Amino acid sequence: MERVVVHGTLMDVFGVGVLLVGPRGVGKSETALELIRRGHRLVSDDAVIVECDDSYEYPVGRPPENLAGKMEIRLALAELYCPECGRVYTFSALKMKEGCDCGGDLKLRPIQDKIAVDVAELYGIRALRSRKGIGVVIKMIPGPHHPHHDPSMRPDEPVSSTPSEEEKVVKWVKERDGRVFHLDVVPGRDTATLIETVALQESLRRRR
Ligand SMILES: [Zn+2]
């Protein structure tokens, strides 16, 4: 049996195991929180242990022991500030390149505001699952207007480096007729509803 640890969030949505992957700050935990609020179940947030061998119907994910039932929600990631005039801007790759309105160079300053969420305490024990087979992988991409979107990037350039662990899980899922989707994350877009729709569609497809 093979085992990898991926940076991502695993949810049970309508009985389908949905693994959310993507760069830090794209909104995996926030999306998971919204799905939990709608009655879906969390397997693991931030890191997922995934095991697979030839006999598995799907690769199976579970939380590392120290993360089980826990989520960390970042309220803010970083801001831009100008050391010369003191102006502060919300983070944007474009603004960082442009520089301050005063003409000075902008610097990035991390913000550490985050809250630790005990999922069972807030949403009840039924909001958790101890393990789940992964039938769908959603690669979340910072879309246009997302603070992490880089407009200078060419369309053929990869949005984020996909580590080999993630690629391995994607391969396992594809080999088992699971689905892999890319999803643009844009402020105001209802990412949770899109993921619910993908999961519903997938659960229907399997019953045919
Ligand atoms: Zn300035």
Side-chain angles (χ1 to χ4, degrees), residues 62-139:
R62 62 182 163 87
E65 232 165 88
N66 60 323
L67 290 184
K70 301 222 165 49
M71 297 182 81
E72 198 175 76
I73 306 292
R74 259 179 297 266
L75 299 176
L77 271 181
E79 62 186 5
L80 291 173
Y81 75 103
C82 174
E84 281 169 51
C85 72
R87 280 196 185 90
V88 174
Y89 303 88
T90 53
F91 176 74
S92 119
L94 186 62
K95 189 68 196 164
M96 189 152 184
K97 281 200 192 81
E98 279 176 5
C100 181
D101 295 347
C102 80
D105 284 337
L106 291 174
K107 284 195 153 50
L108 197 59
R109 156 166 83 194
I111 304 175
Q112 297 294 351
D113 294 350
K114 49 191 175 186
I115 46 171
V117 173
D118 182 322
V119 175
E121 201 174 85
L122 286 192
Y123 298 100
I125 196 74
R126 274 172 298 181
L128 292 174
R129 276 207 68 154
S130 57
R131 57 205 297 121
K132 181 70 189 167
I134 301 168
V136 172
V137 177
I138 304 270
K139 295 186 171 196

Side-chain angles (χ1 to χ4, degrees), residues 29-40 190 192-193 196:
S29 298
E30 291 80 353
T31 302
L33 204 55
E34 176 58 23
L35 288 167
I36 292 167
R37 274 174 24 83
R38 297 182 189 188
H40 304 291
D190 191 345
T193 295
E196 279 182 320

